[in-house]
Coordinates of all heavy atoms in Angstrom, one line a residue:
Chain J
P221 N 2.1 -0.6 15.3 CA 2.9 0.2 14.3 C 1.9 0.8 13.3 O 0.9 0.2 13.0 CB 3.7 -0.9 13.6 CG 3.9 -2.0 14.7 CD 2.6 -2.0 15.4
V222 N 2.3 1.9 12.7 CA 1.5 2.7 11.8 C 1.3 1.9 10.5 O 0.3 1.7 9.9 CB 2.0 4.1 11.5 CG1 1.2 4.8 10.4 CG2 2.1 4.9 12.8
R223 N 2.5 1.3 10.0 CA 2.5 0.6 8.8 C 3.0 -0.8 8.9 O 3.7 -1.1 9.9 CB 3.4 1.3 7.8 CG 2.8 2.7 7.4 CD 3.5 3.2 6.2 NE 3.1 4.6 6.0 CZ 3.0 5.1 4.8 NH1 3.3 4.4 3.7 NH2 2.7 6.4 4.6
C224 N 2.7 -1.7 8.0 CA 3.2 -3.0 8.0 C 4.7 -3.0 7.7 O 5.1 -2.3 6.8 CB 2.5 -3.8 6.8 SG 3.3 -5.4 6.5
F225 N 5.5 -3.7 8.5 CA 6.9 -3.7 8.4 C 7.4 -4.1 7.0 O 8.4 -3.6 6.4 CB 7.6 -4.6 9.4 CG 7.4 -4.2 10.8 CD1 7.4 -5.1 11.8 CD2 7.4 -2.8 11.1 CE1 7.3 -4.7 13.1 CE2 7.3 -2.4 12.4 CZ 7.2 -3.3 13.4
T226 N 6.7 -5.1 6.4 CA 7.1 -5.6 5.1 C 6.7 -4.8 3.9 O 7.5 -4.5 3.1 CB 6.6 -7.1 5.0 OG1 7.1 -7.8 6.2 CG2 7.2 -7.8 3.8
C227 N 5.4 -4.6 3.8 CA 4.9 -4.0 2.6 C 4.6 -2.5 2.7 O 4.5 -1.8 1.6 CB 3.7 -4.7 2.0 SG 2.2 -4.5 3.0
G228 N 4.5 -1.9 3.9 CA 4.3 -0.5 4.0 C 2.8 0.0 4.0 O 2.5 1.2 4.0
T229 N 1.9 -1.0 3.9 CA 0.5 -0.6 3.9 C 0.1 0.0 5.3 O 0.6 -0.5 6.3 CB -0.4 -1.8 3.7 OG1 0.0 -2.4 2.5 CG2 -1.9 -1.5 3.6
V230 N -0.7 1.0 5.3 CA -1.1 1.6 6.6 C -2.1 0.6 7.3 O -3.2 0.3 6.7 CB -1.8 2.9 6.4 CG1 -2.3 3.5 7.7 CG2 -0.9 3.9 5.7
I231 N -1.7 0.0 8.4 CA -2.6 -0.9 9.1 C -3.1 -0.4 10.5 O -4.0 -0.9 11.0 CB -1.9 -2.3 9.3 CG1 -0.4 -2.1 9.8 CG2 -1.9 -3.1 8.0 CD1 -0.2 -2.7 11.1
G232 N -2.4 0.6 11.0 CA -2.7 1.1 12.4 C -4.1 1.5 12.5 O -4.7 1.3 13.6
E233 N -4.7 2.0 11.5 CA -6.1 2.5 11.6 C -7.1 1.5 11.8 O -8.2 1.7 12.2 CB -6.5 3.3 10.3 CG -6.3 2.5 9.1 CD -6.9 3.2 7.8 OE1 -7.7 4.1 8.0 OE2 -6.5 2.8 6.7
H234 N -6.8 0.2 11.5 CA -7.7 -0.9 11.6 C -7.6 -1.6 12.9 O -8.5 -2.5 13.2 CB -7.6 -1.9 10.5 CG -7.8 -1.3 9.1 ND1 -9.0 -0.7 8.8 CD2 -6.9 -1.2 8.1 CE1 -8.8 -0.2 7.5 NE2 -7.6 -0.5 7.1
Y235 N -6.6 -1.3 13.7 CA -6.3 -2.2 14.9 C -7.5 -2.1 15.9 O -7.8 -3.2 16.5 CB -5.0 -1.7 15.6 CG -4.6 -2.6 16.7 CD1 -4.3 -4.0 16.5 CD2 -4.7 -2.2 18.0 CE1 -4.0 -4.8 17.5 CE2 -4.3 -3.0 19.1 CZ -4.0 -4.3 18.8 OH -3.7 -5.1 19.9
E236 N -8.0 -0.9 16.2 CA -9.0 -0.8 17.2 C -10.3 -1.6 16.8 O -10.9 -2.2 17.6 CB -9.3 0.6 17.5 CG -8.2 1.2 18.4 CD -8.4 2.7 18.7 OE1 -9.4 3.3 18.3 OE2 -7.4 3.3 19.2
A237 N -10.6 -1.5 15.5 CA -11.8 -2.2 15.0 C -11.5 -3.7 15.1 O -12.4 -4.5 15.6 CB -12.1 -1.9 13.6
F238 N -10.3 -4.1 14.8 CA -10.0 -5.6 14.9 C -10.1 -6.1 16.3 O -10.6 -7.1 16.6 CB -8.6 -5.8 14.4 CG -8.0 -7.2 14.5 CD1 -8.5 -8.2 13.7 CD2 -7.0 -7.4 15.4 CE1 -8.0 -9.5 13.9 CE2 -6.5 -8.7 15.6 CZ -7.1 -9.8 14.8
E239 N -9.5 -5.3 17.3 CA -9.5 -5.7 18.7 C -11.0 -5.8 19.2 O -11.3 -6.8 19.8 CB -8.9 -4.6 19.6 CG -7.4 -4.7 19.7 CD -7.0 -5.9 20.5 OE1 -7.0 -5.9 21.7 OE2 -6.7 -7.0 19.8
E240 N -11.8 -4.8 18.8 CA -13.1 -4.8 19.3 C -13.9 -6.0 18.8 O -14.7 -6.6 19.5 CB -13.8 -3.5 18.8 CG -15.1 -3.1 19.5 CD -15.7 -1.9 18.9 OE1 -14.9 -0.8 18.9 OE2 -16.8 -1.9 18.4
R241 N -13.7 -6.3 17.5 CA -14.6 -7.4 16.9 C -14.0 -8.8 17.1 O -14.8 -9.7 17.4 CB -14.7 -7.1 15.4 CG -15.5 -5.9 15.1 CD -15.4 -5.5 13.7 NE -15.9 -6.5 12.7 CZ -15.9 -6.4 11.4 NH1 -15.5 -5.3 10.9 NH2 -16.3 -7.4 10.7
A242 N -12.7 -8.9 17.1 CA -12.1 -10.3 17.1 C -11.6 -10.6 18.5 O -11.9 -11.8 19.0 CB -11.0 -10.4 16.1
S243 N -10.9 -9.7 19.2 CA -10.4 -10.1 20.5 C -11.4 -10.0 21.6 O -11.6 -10.9 22.4 CB -9.2 -9.2 20.9 OG -8.2 -9.4 19.9
D244 N -12.1 -8.8 21.6 CA -13.1 -8.6 22.7 C -14.5 -9.2 22.2 O -15.2 -9.7 23.1 CB -13.3 -7.1 23.0 CG -12.0 -6.5 23.3 OD1 -11.1 -7.2 23.8 OD2 -11.8 -5.3 23.1
G245 N -14.8 -9.1 20.9 CA -16.0 -9.7 20.4 C -15.8 -11.2 20.2 O -14.8 -11.8 20.5
D246 N -16.7 -11.8 19.5 CA -16.6 -13.3 19.2 C -16.6 -13.6 17.8 O -16.9 -14.7 17.3 CB -17.7 -14.0 20.0 CG -19.1 -13.5 19.6 OD1 -19.2 -12.6 18.8 OD2 -20.1 -14.0 20.2
E247 N -16.2 -12.6 16.9 CA -16.1 -12.9 15.5 C -14.8 -13.6 15.2 O -13.8 -13.6 15.9 CB -16.1 -11.6 14.7 CG -17.5 -11.0 14.6 CD -17.5 -9.7 13.8 OE1 -17.3 -9.8 12.6 OE2 -17.8 -8.6 14.3
D248 N -14.8 -14.3 14.0 CA -13.6 -15.0 13.6 C -12.5 -14.0 13.1 O -12.8 -13.2 12.2 CB -14.0 -16.0 12.5 CG -12.8 -16.7 11.9 OD1 -11.8 -16.8 12.6 OD2 -12.9 -17.2 10.8
P249 N -11.3 -14.0 13.8 CA -10.3 -13.1 13.4 C -10.0 -13.0 11.9 O -9.8 -12.0 11.3 CB -9.1 -13.5 14.2 CG -9.6 -14.3 15.3 CD -10.9 -14.9 14.8
A250 N -10.0 -14.2 11.2 CA -9.6 -14.2 9.8 C -10.7 -13.5 9.0 O -10.4 -12.7 8.1 CB -9.6 -15.7 9.3
E251 N -12.0 -13.7 9.4 CA -13.0 -13.0 8.7 C -13.0 -11.5 8.9 O -13.3 -10.7 8.0 CB -14.4 -13.5 9.0 CG -14.7 -14.8 8.3 CD -15.9 -15.6 8.9 OE1 -16.7 -14.9 9.6 OE2 -16.0 -16.8 8.6
V252 N -12.7 -11.1 10.1 CA -12.6 -9.7 10.4 C -11.5 -9.0 9.6 O -11.7 -8.0 9.0 CB -12.3 -9.4 11.9 CG1 -12.1 -7.9 12.2 CG2 -13.5 -10.0 12.8
L253 N -10.3 -9.7 9.5 CA -9.2 -9.1 8.7 C -9.6 -9.0 7.2 O -9.2 -8.0 6.6 CB -7.9 -10.0 8.9 CG -7.3 -9.9 10.3 CD1 -6.2 -10.9 10.4 CD2 -6.7 -8.5 10.5
D254 N -10.2 -10.0 6.7 CA -10.7 -10.0 5.3 C -11.6 -8.8 5.1 O -11.5 -8.0 4.2 CB -11.5 -11.3 4.9 CG -10.5 -12.4 4.7 OD1 -9.3 -12.2 4.5 OD2 -11.0 -13.6 4.8
D255 N -12.5 -8.6 6.1 CA -13.5 -7.6 6.0 C -12.9 -6.2 6.1 O -13.3 -5.2 5.4 CB -14.5 -7.7 7.2 CG -15.7 -6.9 7.0 OD1 -16.2 -6.8 5.8 OD2 -16.2 -6.3 8.0
L256 N -11.8 -6.1 6.9 CA -11.1 -4.8 7.0 C -10.2 -4.5 5.8 O -9.6 -3.4 5.7 CB -10.2 -4.8 8.3 CG -11.0 -4.8 9.6 CD1 -10.1 -5.0 10.8 CD2 -11.8 -3.5 9.8
G257 N -10.0 -5.5 4.9 CA -9.2 -5.3 3.7 C -7.8 -5.6 3.9 O -6.9 -5.2 3.2
I258 N -7.4 -6.3 5.0 CA -6.0 -6.7 5.3 C -5.9 -8.1 4.8 O -6.2 -9.1 5.5 CB -5.7 -6.5 6.8 CG1 -6.0 -5.1 7.2 CG2 -4.3 -7.0 7.1 CD1 -6.0 -4.9 8.6
T259 N -5.4 -8.2 3.5 CA -5.4 -9.5 2.9 C -4.1 -10.2 2.8 O -4.0 -11.4 2.7 CB -6.0 -9.4 1.4 OG1 -5.3 -8.3 0.8 CG2 -7.4 -9.1 1.4
R260 N -3.0 -9.4 2.8 CA -1.7 -10.1 2.7 C -1.3 -10.6 4.1 O -1.6 -10.0 5.1 CB -0.6 -9.1 2.2 CG -0.7 -8.8 0.8 CD 0.5 -8.0 0.4 NE 0.3 -6.6 0.8 CZ -0.4 -5.7 0.1 NH1 -0.9 -6.0 -1.1 NH2 -0.5 -4.5 0.6
H261 N -0.5 -11.7 4.1 CA -0.2 -12.3 5.4 C 0.9 -11.5 6.2 O 1.0 -11.6 7.4 CB 0.2 -13.8 5.3 CG 1.4 -14.1 4.4 ND1 1.3 -14.5 3.1 CD2 2.7 -14.1 4.7 CE1 2.5 -14.6 2.6 NE2 3.4 -14.4 3.6
C262 N 1.6 -10.6 5.4 CA 2.6 -9.7 6.2 C 1.8 -8.7 7.0 O 2.2 -8.4 8.1 CB 3.5 -9.0 5.2 SG 2.7 -8.0 4.0
C263 N 0.7 -8.2 6.5 CA -0.1 -7.2 7.2 C -0.9 -7.9 8.3 O -1.1 -7.4 9.4 CB -1.1 -6.5 6.3 SG -0.3 -5.8 4.9
R264 N -1.4 -9.1 8.0 CA -2.2 -9.8 9.0 C -1.4 -10.2 10.3 O -1.9 -10.1 11.4 CB -2.8 -11.1 8.4 CG -3.8 -10.8 7.3 CD -4.1 -12.0 6.5 NE -5.2 -12.8 7.0 CZ -6.4 -12.8 6.6 NH1 -6.8 -11.9 5.7 NH2 -7.3 -13.6 7.1
R265 N -0.1 -10.6 10.1 CA 0.7 -10.9 11.3 C 0.9 -9.7 12.2 O 1.0 -9.8 13.4 CB 2.0 -11.5 10.9 CG 2.9 -10.7 10.1 CD 4.0 -10.0 10.9 NE 4.4 -8.8 10.1 CZ 5.6 -8.7 9.4 NH1 6.4 -9.7 9.4 NH2 5.9 -7.6 8.8
M266 N 0.9 -8.5 11.6 CA 1.1 -7.2 12.3 C -0.1 -7.1 13.3 O 0.1 -6.7 14.5 CB 1.0 -6.0 11.4 CG 2.1 -5.9 10.4 SD 3.8 -5.9 11.0 CE 3.8 -4.3 11.8
M267 N -1.3 -7.4 12.9 CA -2.5 -7.3 13.7 C -2.5 -8.4 14.8 O -2.8 -8.2 15.9 CB -3.7 -7.3 12.9 CG -3.7 -6.3 11.8 SD -3.9 -4.7 12.4 CE -5.7 -4.5 12.2
V268 N -2.3 -9.6 14.2 CA -2.6 -10.8 15.1 C -1.5 -10.9 16.2 O -1.8 -11.3 17.3 CB -2.5 -12.1 14.2 CG1 -2.5 -13.3 15.0 CG2 -3.7 -12.1 13.2
S269 N -0.3 -10.5 15.9 CA 0.8 -10.7 16.9 C 1.1 -9.5 17.8 O 2.0 -9.5 18.6 CB 2.1 -11.1 16.2 OG 2.5 -10.0 15.3
H270 N 0.2 -8.5 17.6 CA 0.5 -7.2 18.4 C -0.1 -7.3 19.8 O -1.2 -7.8 20.0 CB 0.0 -6.0 17.7 CG 0.2 -4.8 18.4 ND1 1.5 -4.2 18.6 CD2 -0.6 -4.0 19.1 CE1 1.3 -3.1 19.3 NE2 0.1 -3.0 19.7

Side-chain angles (χ1 to χ4, degrees):
Chain J
V222 176
R223 297 196 187 209
C224 167
F225 290 152
T226 306
C227 71
T229 306
V230 180
I231 42 119
E233 55 169 343
H234 300 300
Y235 184 68
E236 285 177 5
F238 174 72
E239 275 293 278
E240 193 183 305
R241 290 169 60 181
S243 303
D244 304 334
D246 52 4
E247 285 184 67
D248 178 20
E251 276 166 24
V252 176
L253 287 171
D254 285 341
D255 194 39
L256 292 171
I258 300 165
T259 48
R260 281 187 288 274
H261 60 265
C262 60
C263 307
R264 291 166 88 97
R265 62 96 203 260
M266 300 297 295
M267 305 289 267
V268 171
S269 61
H270 178 71

